Amino acid sequence: MDLFLDILVAILLVVGCLMSLIAGIGLLTFPDMLTRMHAATKPQVLGFLLIFAGLAIHLRSWAVIPVLVLAWGMQLLTAPVSAHMIGRSGYRTKHAAKETLFSDELSLVVNKVNSTPPTEATPITKDQPGENQN
């Protein structure tokens, strides 16, 4: 039984590391920001899951499982949010190759925001030298 678990751990760790390697290679080789962002998030989360599963089986301790689940859950929550924010900021700063997009739904939102007139701002007045500041 120990030999089977050791083989399972080795397979999980190797496949998890390969997924992370694929994510790194995708970051270096893909042509534009949106495909690089996709490569950075999708295989990375699955790679972490496989590595953490292999680590949990290897350690054979119930005390480690909540920590590994918490670490994987945080990765699962933060990777899509960060990719979303990077994608939106890259789109707005013209780093996204818009001619390669199949559907450009964000353009409606950006055009709507950019077409609204700016609101009047109240002028900021500085205190005159010599005035009493309380």
Side-chain angles (χ1 to χ4, degrees):
M1 186 65 173
D2 284 341
L3 178 65
F4 172 74
L5 289 178
D6 288 340
I7 292 172
L8 180 64
V9 166
I11 290 171
L12 288 173
L13 290 176
V14 168
V15 173
C17 289
L18 285 176
M19 294 297 286
S20 296
L21 177 67
I22 289 169
I25 291 171
L27 280 173
L28 295 175
T29 59
F30 282 153
D32 64 337
M33 183 209 53
L34 295 176
T35 55
R36 287 181 186 163
M37 179 184 62
H38 178 78
T41 56
K42 302 298 180 190
Q44 189 69 20
V45 173
L46 179 60
F48 273 137
L49 174 65
L50 295 175
I51 289 171
F52 289 160
L55 188 60
I57 294 170
H58 177 70
L59 294 176
R60 294 185 180 112
S61 171
W62 287 103
V64 172
I65 292 178
V67 175
L68 295 176
V69 169
L70 179 66
W72 184 68
M74 293 306 292
Q75 178 69 26
L76 188 64
L77 289 174
T78 58
V81 172
S82 64
H84 176 77
M85 297 309 293
I86 290 170
R88 285 182 72 96
S89 65
Y91 184 91
R92 288 175 182 254
T93 59
K94 313 272 190 283
H95 284 90
K98 294 178 186 173
E99 63 275 356
T100 61
L101 295 177
F102 179 73
S103 175
D104 191 4
E105 296 170 358
L106 190 56
S107 66
L108 299 174
V109 176
V110 171
N111 291 337
K112 183 178 179 183
V113 169
N114 289 339
S115 66
T116 59
T119 59
E120 284 190 340
T122 58
I124 298 173
T125 59
K126 294 184 180 181
D127 293 328
Q128 298 297 326
E131 286 187 1
N132 189 9
Q133 296 176 2
N134 293 359

